[in-house]
Amino acid sequence: MDWTDDGIVLSARPHGEGSLVVSLLTIDHGRHAGLVRGGGSGRQRGMFQPGNLVRAGWRARLSEHLGNYSCELMQAHAAAYLEDPLKLSALSSACAVADGALAEREPHPAVYEGLLALIGLLDSAVWAAAYVKWETGLLTDLGFGLDLTRCAATGLNDDLAYVSPRTGRAVSLSAGEPYRDRLLRLPGFLIGRGADTPEEVMHGLDLTGFFLDRHVFGLNNKPLPAARIRFIDRLRQSATISGGGVTE
């Protein structure tokens, strides 16, 4: 059993003396793990940072085996943000979310392409909003998409301001006002009607985090990834210090 595919490094954990078990998000084979012998030492170590793009060859005697990876580095995305802890944290968070949310060996090409697009936008002014949109896309691909097209109560698509935590459907400002304390805030940039201010980005992360926790991680009795929590803490601190620097 063997194949070759492009993959984004999601995680790498030590195994034995100097080896790694590496989890990749590949185009055709989904989230797929494999053993990299000697990957934890020497020249290979830097290759397996979350977010790096590799060309991977996987080989095993039987398809159900862990198998072995041989990898070639194509793009060292992580290294580009070593001096930018906030964006490096965002990259680590997205990889950890994908690693924990996706089923093993189940193809999700839209999630792969979306993650590559997010990585490409980390140098842009809209990177924080792009992160939120990537998580909404992940929810959609997993079958838990949010319905933000029209108000669940009125059927209209104007003045949408909230999302129902029960149904994941949008609610208008007037219909949701009596229940605002029980509803989630809908950031305007998710429906093309507002700026991606630091406050709106945080509302977006609260929104996606709620549904990721309820429908994805919670169903498997897992908490949201620690890397995501660290990213949000950094983002909140950055916005507080700079007065709105998350979109710089």
Side-chain angles (χ1 to χ4, degrees):
M1 304 298 299
D2 64 90
W3 49 256
T4 301
D5 203 352
D6 291 342
I8 302 168
V9 178
L10 299 181
S11 65
R13 67 178 191 271
H15 182 85
E17 294 188 13
S19 296
L20 295 173
V21 173
V22 175
S23 176
L24 302 178
L25 177 56
T26 65
I27 300 175
D28 297 322
H29 300 87
R31 180 177 69 86
H32 202 293
L35 181 69
V36 179
R37 299 187 184 279
S41 59
R43 297 173 59 186
Q44 288 196 80
R45 178 181 295 178
M47 185 188 308
F48 299 108
Q49 297 300 311
N52 283 352
L53 181 66
V54 300
R55 185 70 170 169
W58 180 83
R59 181 182 295 272
R61 190 170 62 84
L62 297 174
S63 61
E64 61 267 26
H65 288 177
L66 174 63
N68 294 283
Y69 271 141
S70 59
C71 296
E72 175 187 355
L73 181 64
M74 297 178 68
Q75 289 184 283
H77 293 128
Y81 300 102
L82 290 178
E83 296 183 4
D84 192 331
L86 180 57
K87 292 181 179 179
L88 184 62
S89 180
L91 182 58
S92 297
S93 174
C95 291
V97 169
D99 200 30
L102 300 176
E104 179 81 10
R105 305 186 182 190
E106 184 178 284
H108 287 275
V111 178
Y112 173 90
E113 296 294 346
L115 184 53
L116 270 188
L118 171 60
I119 293 170
L121 288 169
L122 284 177
D123 278 331
S124 75
V126 298
W127 71 269
Y131 182 97
V132 177
K133 291 177 180 179
W134 178 77
E135 287 195 340
T136 63
L138 174 66
L139 284 166
T140 298
D141 206 71
L142 293 175
F144 305 110
L146 306 180
D147 182 358
L148 308 179
T149 57
R150 61 189 68 253
C151 175
T154 67
L156 304 177
N157 65 355
D158 57 331
D159 212 16
L160 301 178
Y162 305 104
V163 175
S164 165
R166 185 175 62 85
T167 64
R169 298 180 64 189
V171 180
S172 69
L173 184 64
S174 57
E177 192 61 25
Y179 317 101
R180 60 180 302 175
D181 292 339
R182 287 179 276 172
L183 299 173
L184 298 162
R185 289 288 300 272
L186 171 60
F189 69 83
L190 281 182
I191 53 174
R193 296 182 182 176
D196 55 339
T197 63
E199 182 181 15
E200 290 291 87
V201 168
M202 294 309 303
H203 287 322
L205 288 168
D206 288 341
L207 177 66
T208 55
F210 177 86
F211 288 103
L212 283 169
D213 185 40
R214 167 174 285 189
H215 294 307
V216 181
F217 290 89
L219 288 180
N220 295 310
N221 296 313
K222 297 189 296 186
L224 289 170
R228 188 183 190 274
I229 296 170
R230 289 193 296 270
F231 165 54
I232 292 174
D233 287 344
R234 281 187 180 275
L235 191 63
R236 184 176 290 112
Q237 182 182 30
S238 173
T240 300
I241 291 173
S242 66
V246 298
T247 56
E248 292 180 356

